[in-house]
């Protein structure tokens, strides 16, 4: 019998095993051997291949690998296909940066075909590295039969999904105030905007609005977005709360503000005199002097008056909210109710897709809105309208891709109706099993209760085009659900569905309205990833039986941040299409942070390169470090390289030494029933201990509780070596 060496290099041993797997084609062979067994369905959320995998990807991949290997070893056939998210902002933003593209005009000059060709080139920039890293981590997943969201057959299934929603009356075109990325020139959905909040310091100003009937008395409003003031069309107060007419002793000026908010302007009661108290309702309809003359003609339609609504709070500001209806969701709602604005009226939205003021705002024309804040405050001060100026620190949404601050802006968009199915979403969510449970019971359920209609269109280029052909007057709409249908109605054979290949195609009107042309928008890439259960199978054009037998999926897993991303879009689409959840079991892991508790930053070099860690300590040590941590219970992990080292030193080396000792002292075991009395030998107790461990692991793995299984296994090794 060969002796076991005293020393071992774990990374080298892992590479030998990987070479063996390659020689015998271990993964594909295991799939072939289990093909006839019951099916266990797993969906792999597609990552973007525009960057290298980080510890978060490795963690999620490890969880997926453990669960799907266990399912395979428990007697199931487990198809594991790798997927790639190819479209959308991550790709386009890289191209915009490299080519110096700042807006739609630059793309128009370049041409959509050339632009999309550039996007296509970088889609798989790191695909080879991804395969190397994922394989080196010991994960078994099929790269040979992958899916890419840019494949025509994948895109065709997305068209099918959309047409089902359209035929059910769940698609509409609306004009809503939405989070808007000026860096990417496109609106974002509410769940996208919620992914990346940061603490920022913004200007906080109080502005006066002299009343028409009492020019010496001014309403005063507070805002942290001075750039919206040129678009002011109204003021809003709470109808039922107390307001005061107050005299500032230091300036002799008279203001109206909420009584509960006097502290926003005055430090003590000695600084003011209250001249009168009244409810906000009494202020309704009062007119005031506009801040600027850009839109003063709107006064004829009811602008520049005081409105009432209960969304005004006592928590911040002066209790009077300035209304810029095309830059605020509540502003839009209130002004629409008071008919200050209308769906078919003039739109007061003097900001272009790049976030710069348009010609209407003559004083700040061409300036980026955030940069214009200082100049706006300066002009207001010169005009005697600035009452108080300070700064405030608050949480503000940033674009998840460009890391630039979002603005809220009214834009036309295509929506999927979601609000109507909130109850069904909650019901379907209750049919799923999550680990840990609090994520679905609290975080995800709370998000579903506030579910909004989903803006699925993006004013971009590299993506799956929205398959709607519309007449010039907008009254005739044809929704296309397949490549065959498009070819039949346009008379053109089509193989690739990207914009450069179909934008020029027209469909003859059946109502005498000439030629129908495609709308310009493409799908939000989250719509694509939410459609992956169907599109990866090219359903319903192929593999119908395979899909229907394996839906809903038995298992999915991703980071907890996907409660507002992939988990959500999967549930919305499956509920809308089939009335049931898209998966049965889910593990949500926490976030892997840098050792200082901050988000990992490649630029700041706040974490070691994953492959360097693997080369030092081995993939098994890294895997065990990650899954034997709070991150598997959806908590955060501050990654420390010494933690991986300690796993190697305290677990794997001890385990190896125990193995080496057992091999050296090995002697044959001869079974004799007559001698099998109750034993007092300590080592015999390990038989019972081992069997109880096996029972425990089987039970906990069936419940997807890796956070109980892994510590028990580590404890077993520790007790074994002691």
């Amino acid at each position: 019998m060969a002796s076991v060496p005293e020393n071992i290099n774990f990374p080298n041993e892992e590479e030998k095993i990987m070479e063996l797997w390659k020689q015998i084609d271990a993964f594909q062979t295991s799939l072939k051997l289990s093909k006839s067994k019951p099916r266990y369905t797993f969906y792999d959320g597609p990552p973007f291949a525009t960057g290298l995998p980080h510890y978060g990807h490795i963690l999620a991949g490890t969880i997926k690998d453990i669960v799907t290997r266990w399912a395979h070893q428990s007697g199931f056939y487990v198809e594991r296909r790798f997927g790639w998210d190819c479209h959308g902002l991550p790709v386009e933003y890289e191209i915009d940066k490299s080519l110096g593209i700042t807006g739609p005009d630059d793309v128009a000059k370049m041409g959509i075909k050339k632009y999309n060709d550039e996007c296509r080139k970088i889609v798989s920039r790191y695909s080879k590295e991804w395969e190397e890293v994922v394989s080196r981590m010991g994960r078994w997943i099929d790269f040979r039969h992958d899916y890419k969201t840019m494949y025509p057959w994948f895109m065709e299934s997305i068209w099918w999904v959309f047409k089902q929603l359209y035929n059910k009356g769940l698609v509409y075109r609306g004009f809503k105030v939405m989070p808007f990325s000026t860096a990417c020139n496109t609106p974002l959905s509410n769940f996208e905007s919620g992914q990346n909040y940061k603490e920022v310091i913004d200007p906080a100003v109080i502005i006066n609005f002299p009343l028409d009937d009492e020019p010496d008395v001014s309403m005063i409003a507070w805002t942290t977005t001075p750039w919206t003031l040129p678009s002011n069309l109204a003021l809003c107060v709470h109808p039922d709360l107390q307001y005061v007419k107050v005299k500032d002793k230091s300036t002799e000026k008279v203001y109206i503000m909420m009584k509960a908010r006097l502290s926003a302007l005055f430090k003590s009661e000695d600084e003011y005199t209250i001249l009168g108290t009244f409810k906000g309702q009494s202020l309704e309809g009062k007119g005031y002097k506009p801040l600027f003359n850009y839109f003063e003609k709107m006064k004829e339609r009811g602008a520049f008056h005081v409105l009432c609504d209960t969304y005004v709070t006592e928590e911040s500001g002066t209790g009077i909210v300035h209304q810029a209806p095309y830059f605020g969701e509540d502003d839009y709602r209130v002004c629409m109710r008071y008919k200050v604005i209308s769906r078919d009226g003039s739109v007061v939205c003097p900001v272009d897709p790049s976030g710069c003021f348009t010609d209407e705002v003559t004083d700040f024309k061409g300036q980026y809105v955030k940069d214009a804040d200082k100049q706006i405050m300066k002009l207001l001060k010169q005009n005697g309208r600035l009452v108080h100026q300070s700064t405030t620190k608050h949480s503000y949404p940033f674009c998840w891709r460009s890391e630039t601050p979002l603005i809220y802006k009214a834009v036309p968009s295509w929506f999927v109706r979601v609000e109507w199915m909130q109850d069904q979403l909650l019901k379907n969510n209750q049919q799923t099993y999550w680990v840990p449970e609090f994520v679905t019971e609290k975080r995800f359920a709370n998000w579903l209760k506030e579910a909004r209609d989903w803006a699925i269109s993006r004013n971009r280029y590299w993506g799956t085009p929205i398959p709607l052909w519309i007449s010039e007057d907008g009254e005739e709409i044809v929704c296309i659900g397949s490549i065959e249908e498009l070819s039949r109605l346009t008379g053109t054979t089509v193989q690739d569905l990207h914009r450069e290949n179909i934008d020029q195609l027209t469909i003859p009107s059946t109502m005498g309205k000439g030629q129908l042309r495609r709308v310009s928008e493409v799908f939000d890439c989250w719509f694509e990833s939410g459609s992956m259960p169907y599109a990866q199978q090219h359903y319903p054009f192929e593999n119908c039986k395979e899909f229907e037998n394996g839906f809903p999926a038995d298992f999915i897993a991703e980071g907890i941040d996907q409660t507002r991303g992939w988990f959500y879009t999967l549930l919305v689409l499956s509920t809308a299409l089939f009335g049931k959840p898209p998966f049965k079991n889910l593990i949500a892991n926490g976030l892997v942070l840098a050792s200082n508790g901050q988000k990992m930053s490649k630029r700041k070099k706040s974490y070691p390169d994953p492959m360097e860690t693997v080369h030092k300590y081995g993939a098994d040590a890294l895997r065990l470090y990650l899954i034997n941590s709070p991150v598997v219970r959806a908590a955060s992990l501050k990654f420390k390289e010494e933690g991986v080292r300690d796993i190697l030193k305290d677990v794997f080396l001890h385990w190896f030494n125990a193995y080496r000792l057992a091999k050296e002292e090995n002697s044959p075991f001869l079974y004799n029933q007559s001698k099998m009395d109750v034993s007092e030998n300590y080592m015999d107790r390990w038989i019972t201990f081992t069997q109880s461990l096996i029972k425990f692991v089987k039970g906990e793995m069936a419940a997807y509780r890796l956070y109980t299984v892994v510590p028990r296994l580590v404890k077993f090794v520790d007790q074994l070596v002691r």
Side-chain angles (χ1 to χ4, degrees):
M1 183 177 65
S3 62
V4 180
E6 290 188 16
N7 299 311
I8 184 173
N9 184 308
F10 283 98
N12 287 352
E13 292 299 318
E14 289 175 353
E15 288 174 3
K16 291 177 185 176
I17 294 296
M18 286 184 61
E19 187 58 36
L20 174 63
W21 287 349
K22 189 182 295 184
Q23 289 174 12
I24 64 175
D25 200 9
F27 175 47
Q28 292 297 331
T29 301
S30 73
L31 290 176
K32 291 173 185 174
L33 293 174
S34 61
K35 188 75 175 178
S36 61
K37 294 181 178 180
R39 189 181 184 90
Y40 180 96
T41 308
F42 161 69
Y43 295 154
D44 195 27
F48 288 103
T50 50
L52 292 169
H54 52 64
Y55 288 104
H57 294 120
I58 291 171
L59 165 65
T62 299
I63 292 171
K64 296 170 188 177
D65 192 49
I66 291 170
V67 172
T68 52
R69 279 178 183 267
W70 177 265
H72 169 78
Q73 292 166 355
S74 300
F76 291 93
Y77 170 71
V78 190
E79 184 180 74
R80 284 154 274 179
R81 294 174 64 192
F82 202 83
W84 302 98
D85 228 335
C86 303
H87 289 145
L89 293 183
V91 179
E92 291 196 359
Y93 187 64
E94 292 295 320
I95 294 300
D96 289 353
K97 281 196 303 181
S98 64
L99 299 182
I101 290 172
T102 59
D105 290 344
D106 293 337
V107 178
K109 291 174 186 175
M110 180 181 188
I112 292 176
K113 183 181 186 308
K114 189 174 180 182
Y115 183 86
N116 279 356
D117 285 344
E118 292 296 323
C119 291
R120 193 176 278 104
K121 288 177 187 175
I122 72 161
V123 159
S124 300
R125 178 193 290 171
Y126 297 114
S127 58
K128 183 181 178 184
E129 287 88 344
W130 266 85
E131 185 168 354
E132 289 174 353
V133 171
V134 170
S135 300
R136 182 61 187 86
M137 288 304 302
R139 184 182 176 191
W140 279 7
I141 192 161
D142 195 345
F143 284 97
R144 299 180 198 173
H145 304 99
D146 68 351
Y147 69 86
K148 287 186 170 70
T149 58
M150 63 185 270
Y151 288 159
W153 52 265
F154 192 98
M155 297 167 71
E156 183 178 30
S157 288
I158 292 169
W159 278 17
W160 174 84
V161 169
F162 180 74
K163 184 162 185 176
Q164 305 314 299
L165 303 180
Y166 182 84
N167 288 344
K168 291 183 178 188
L170 300 182
V171 175
Y172 69 94
R173 186 171 175 80
F175 197 76
K176 288 191 177 181
V177 176
M178 297 172 58
F180 193 93
S181 171
T182 57
C184 299
N185 308 134
T186 192
L188 302 180
S189 59
N190 283 303
F191 61 81
E192 284 179 293
S193 68
Q195 289 187 324
N196 191 18
Y197 270 80
K198 296 183 180 183
E199 289 292 318
V200 298
I201 296 176
D202 272 331
V205 294
I206 297 176
I207 309 298
N208 68 55
F209 297 84
L211 295 173
D212 290 341
D213 58 355
E214 292 182 88
D216 294 333
V217 178
S218 295
M219 307 282 288
I220 57 173
W222 176 84
T223 183
T224 59
T225 54
W227 63 268
T228 62
L229 290 170
S231 304
N232 169 267
L233 294 183
L235 297 174
C236 190
V237 298
H238 195 295
D240 305 321
L241 298 180
Q242 294 290 316
Y243 285 77
V244 293
K245 182 185 288 186
V246 60
K247 187 174 187 178
D248 185 336
K249 291 181 179 180
S250 65
T251 64
E252 297 296 309
K253 292 185 177 179
V254 179
Y255 302 123
I256 292 175
M257 63 188 300
M258 189 182 283
K259 186 175 183 180
R261 295 303 307 157
L262 283 164
S263 60
L265 184 59
F266 304 106
K267 293 180 180 177
S268 71
E269 295 181 4
D270 299 334
E271 296 179 0
Y272 60 84
T273 302
I274 294 179
L275 304 178
T277 304
F278 37 84
K279 282 192 174 184
Q281 189 73 55
S282 66
L283 297 167
E284 185 179 32
K286 284 186 174 291
Y288 64 86
K289 181 182 177 182
L291 282 175
F292 301 95
N293 61 4
Y294 311 134
F295 307 106
E296 60 185 0
K297 288 185 178 179
M298 293 285 290
K299 191 147 191 169
E300 301 168 4
R301 294 188 49 187
F304 309 114
H305 287 81
V306 180
L307 317 177
C308 289
D309 195 85
T310 54
Y311 91 90
V312 180
T313 73
E314 299 176 297
E315 308 304 319
S316 61
T318 62
I320 298 171
V321 182
H322 115 80
Q323 305 287 283
Y326 293 94
F327 296 106
E329 211 170 350
D330 284 313
D331 307 33
Y332 185 87
R333 175 181 56 79
V334 174
C335 288
M336 185 70 76
R337 178 160 59 87
Y338 276 89
K339 299 182 180 177
V340 175
I341 59 173
S342 62
R343 298 188 191 281
D344 55 355
S346 301
V347 176
V348 179
C349 189
V351 175
D352 69 18
S354 296
C356 297
F357 281 116
T358 56
D359 293 350
E360 298 143 296
V361 182
T362 53
D363 296 299
F364 313 107
K365 179 175 65 176
Q367 293 185 38
Y368 177 63
V369 291
K370 289 283 187 180
D371 295 338
D373 277 345
K374 288 184 179 179
Q375 295 302 315
I376 291 170
M377 291 186 289
K378 182 179 179 182
L379 183 57
L380 289 172
K381 187 175 183 180
Q382 289 174 3
N383 294 340
R385 305 296 292 269
L386 184 65
V387 177
H388 186 263
Q389 180 178 341
S390 63
T391 58
T392 185
K393 186 176 183 180
H394 62 145
S395 186
Y396 192 85
F398 276 64
C399 176
W400 63 279
R401 191 65 228 170
S402 65
E403 294 291 339
T404 55
L406 299 175
I407 65 172
Y408 282 80
K409 183 176 185 286
V411 290
S413 186
W414 291 96
F415 291 84
V416 168
R417 301 183 194 278
V418 176
E419 293 167 21
W420 72 276
M421 57 175 161
Q422 284 178 359
D423 290 343
Q424 186 64 43
L425 289 171
L426 288 164
K427 181 181 176 182
N428 286 345
N429 184 45
Q430 289 175 350
Q431 297 176 38
T432 62
Y433 173 75
W434 291 47
V435 175
E437 288 182 349
F438 77 85
V439 180
T440 184
E441 292 173 352
K442 295 181 180 179
R443 183 172 181 145
F444 195 55
N446 290 340
W447 179 249
L448 294 178
K449 288 173 186 175
E450 301 297 325
R452 310 271 187 89
D453 287 358
W454 178 11
I456 58 166
S457 60
R458 296 291 177 268
N459 304 327
R460 298 300 305 182
Y461 313 95
W462 177 241
T464 300
I466 291 181
L468 292 174
W469 271 255
I470 299 182
S471 60
E472 194 170 338
D473 62 8
E475 292 184 2
E476 184 179 0
I477 302 177
V478 173
C479 182
I480 301 294
S482 69
I483 292 175
E484 181 279 328
E485 185 181 8
L486 178 65
S487 299
R488 175 165 42 84
L489 293 180
T490 62
T492 305
T493 301
V494 178
Q495 293 182 326
D496 189 301
L497 296 180
H498 288 93
R499 282 192 62 178
E500 63 271 22
N501 301 306
I502 68 168
D503 276 7
Q504 74 281 8
L505 301 181
T506 59
I507 296 175
S509 169
T510 59
M511 300 168 60
K513 295 178 179 293
Q515 297 293 317
L516 310 187
R517 301 187 182 279
R518 196 190 73 81
V519 299
S520 61
E521 296 96 332
V522 300
F523 282 108
D524 166 18
C525 60
W526 290 99
F527 190 89
E528 296 181 333
S529 57
S531 301
M532 65 75 56
Y534 331 107
Q536 72 164 349
Q537 298 279 9
H538 194 207
Y539 182 82
F541 308 100
E542 294 182 83
N543 306 309
C544 292
K545 185 178 179 181
E546 289 86 345
F547 166 74
E548 289 161 5
N549 288 343
F551 184 83
D554 292 288
F555 170 67
I556 67 170
E558 291 294 343
I560 193 172
D561 53 329
Q562 294 303 320
T563 51
R564 295 186 176 188
W566 191 50
F567 301 157
Y568 176 71
T569 60
L570 282 173
L571 182 61
V572 167
L573 290 180
S574 69
T575 299
L577 291 171
F578 303 110
K580 59 184 179 181
F583 54 83
K584 299 173 186 175
N585 303 288
L586 181 152
I587 295 178
N589 62 262
L591 303 180
V592 184
L593 305 173
S595 58
N596 60 4
Q598 301 296 311
K599 185 178 179 181
M600 286 188 168
S601 170
K602 197 172 185 179
R603 180 174 53 84
K604 295 177 182 177
K605 298 181 179 178
S606 62
Y607 63 94
D609 179 85
M611 282 301 94
E612 289 182 9
T613 302
V614 170
H615 293 323
K616 277 185 185 179
Y617 310 108
D620 281 338
L622 176 56
R623 284 169 61 121
L624 185 54
Y625 169 70
L626 291 172
I627 60 170
N628 190 34
S629 75
V631 79
V632 186
R633 298 193 301 273
S636 295
L637 168 67
K638 295 178 183 178
F639 185 89
K640 296 180 180 178
E641 185 179 339
E642 54 267 33
V644 185
R645 179 201 64 202
D646 290 345
I647 288 289
L648 185 69
K649 177 170 61 74
D650 299 334
V651 180
F652 284 103
L653 280 175
H654 286 179
W655 196 359
F656 172 74
N657 287 331
Y659 166 73
R660 188 167 60 88
L661 182 63
K663 291 290 285 184
E664 289 176 355
E665 296 183 359
N666 187 36
S667 57
F669 172 73
L670 300 176
Y671 175 76
N672 188 331
Q673 177 65 44
S674 63
K675 294 183 179 180
M676 296 303 290
D677 298 326
V678 176
S679 172
E680 295 182 0
N681 188 321
Y682 177 78
M683 294 304 294
D684 288 343
R685 299 178 194 172
W686 275 90
I687 298 174
T688 303
F689 186 37
T690 303
Q691 290 303 313
S692 67
L693 175 66
I694 292 171
K695 182 179 179 181
F696 175 82
V697 170
K698 285 182 176 179
E700 294 301 286
M701 284 300 294
Y704 294 87
R705 287 191 286 263
L706 301 189
Y707 59 84
T708 61
V709 172
V710 178
R712 187 77 168 259
L713 292 172
V714 172
K715 182 180 179 182
F716 178 84
V717 173
D718 182 61
Q719 291 179 329
L720 174 67
V721 300
R722 291 180 187 278

